[in-house]
Every structure is written in structure tokens, then in C-alpha cells.
């Protein structure tokens, strides 16, 4: 089980996929490689994307460098609470996740490759 501070760090790392700038997949991977690919996928598409995706869809994205913790953390927490309490919202997000996966497909593949390389190096060092 992840601690809240660890979870927040993962949210912030994954929010970097939604900036309107060059994405450093290796840097993001280093920050999340302690998790399994399935865990990262779940967090990315079910927790972070619903909060940060609008930046990439905006005609003029407002976040081009990095998201601020003061925005991401409370928004993801609020999103997760709403997912638990609002059936309609939950259903709507479930449908949007398919879009997020299609939209972020290339970045997700790049991130997975980087995570696997880091995990392999870590395993080889043991």
C-alpha cells in the first residue's frame, strides 16, 4: 500500500505528461518505476488524466512547464471522492478513460519502455 505522500509524488510525476512542452519520459519513469506498470497505468488514466487532460485539449494550454502541486493534489483527491460517491460521474469517467488511453497512446508506450528499462537495471543491480 502506498503512503499518501508517495501517492502525491506519483500524481505529480504523471501530471508532467499533460504539459504543453517536450515531455521527459525518462524523468517521469524514474519517479514512478517503483510501481508496477499496471499500477502506473491505473493511476495515470483513472486518477491523473481526468484532472489534467483538459490542459492538452485547450486551444491555448495554460500549463506548459509543470502543474502546481496546489492544483493537482486537491483536484485528484476531489475527483477520487466524487468517483466513490457519484455513480453518474463514475460512469462518465469510465467512458472518458477510453479516450484518454487513445489520446495518450504514444506517450504511454514511451513511458512504459522507460519504466521497464529502469526496472530491468534495478533488477540487474541486485
Amino acid at each position: 500500500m502506498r503512503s499518501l505522500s508517495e501517492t502525491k509524488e506519483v500524481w505529480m510525476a504523471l501530471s508532467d505528461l499533460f504539459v504543453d512542452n517536450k515531455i521527459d519520459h525518462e524523468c517521469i519513469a524514474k519517479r514512478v518505476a517503483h510501481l508496477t506498470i499496471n499500477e502506473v497505468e491505473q493511476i495515470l488514466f483513472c486518477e491523473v488524466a481526468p484532472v489534467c487532460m483538459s490542459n492538452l485539449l485547450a486551444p491555448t494550454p495554460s500549463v506548459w512547464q509543470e502543474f502546481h502541486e496546489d492544483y493537482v493534489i486537491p483536484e485528484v483527491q476531489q475527483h477520487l471522492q466524487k468517483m466513490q460517491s457519484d455513480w453518474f460521474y463514475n460512469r462518465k469517467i469510465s467512458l472518458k478513460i477510453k479516450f484518454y488511453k487513445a489520446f495518450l497512446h504514444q506517450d504511454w508506450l514511451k513511458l512504459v519502455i522507460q519504466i521497464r528499462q529502469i526496472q530491468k537495471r534495478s533488477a540487474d543491480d541486485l
Side-chain angles (χ1 to χ4, degrees):
M1 182 102 185
R2 297 181 313 269
S3 70
L4 183 57
S5 66
E6 179 186 7
T7 300
K8 290 176 181 180
E9 289 175 26
V10 172
W11 290 341
M12 293 309 300
L14 293 174
S15 73
D16 287 349
L17 286 170
F18 299 91
V19 297
D20 185 36
N21 210 332
K22 184 168 175 16
I23 297 170
D24 187 344
H25 296 86
E26 182 179 6
C27 180
I28 297 168
K30 286 177 183 175
R31 296 165 63 191
V32 301
H34 61 285
L35 300 172
T36 67
I37 298 293
N38 288 340
E39 288 173 313
V40 176
E41 182 178 29
Q42 172 73 19
I43 296 166
L44 173 61
F45 293 113
C46 299
E47 299 177 17
V48 179
V51 170
C52 298
M53 179 61 89
S54 61
N55 190 62
L56 293 181
L57 301 176
T60 307
S62 60
V63 180
W64 56 275
Q65 196 72 350
E66 68 180 15
F67 280 89
H68 293 281
E69 191 172 301
D70 294 344
Y71 169 76
V72 172
I73 294 183
E75 288 294 320
V76 172
Q77 289 173 324
Q78 181 181 3
H79 157 72
L80 292 173
Q81 288 173 347
K82 197 167 182 181
M83 287 281 291
Q84 291 177 354
S85 64
D86 186 335
W87 179 87
F88 184 74
Y89 179 79
N90 193 326
R91 187 72 189 126
K92 182 174 79 171
I93 294 299
S94 295
L95 294 172
K96 286 183 174 185
I97 287 170
K98 294 175 197 275
F99 169 74
Y100 302 151
K101 287 183 176 186
F103 192 91
L104 294 171
H105 182 72
Q106 291 300 316
D107 283 314
W108 172 242
L109 291 179
K110 290 175 187 177
L111 183 61
V112 168
I113 289 167
Q114 292 295 322
I115 291 170
R116 286 188 176 138
Q117 288 176 351
I118 291 166
Q119 290 173 340
K120 183 179 181 331
R121 282 194 302 260
S122 294
D124 290 346
D125 290 345
L126 295 178

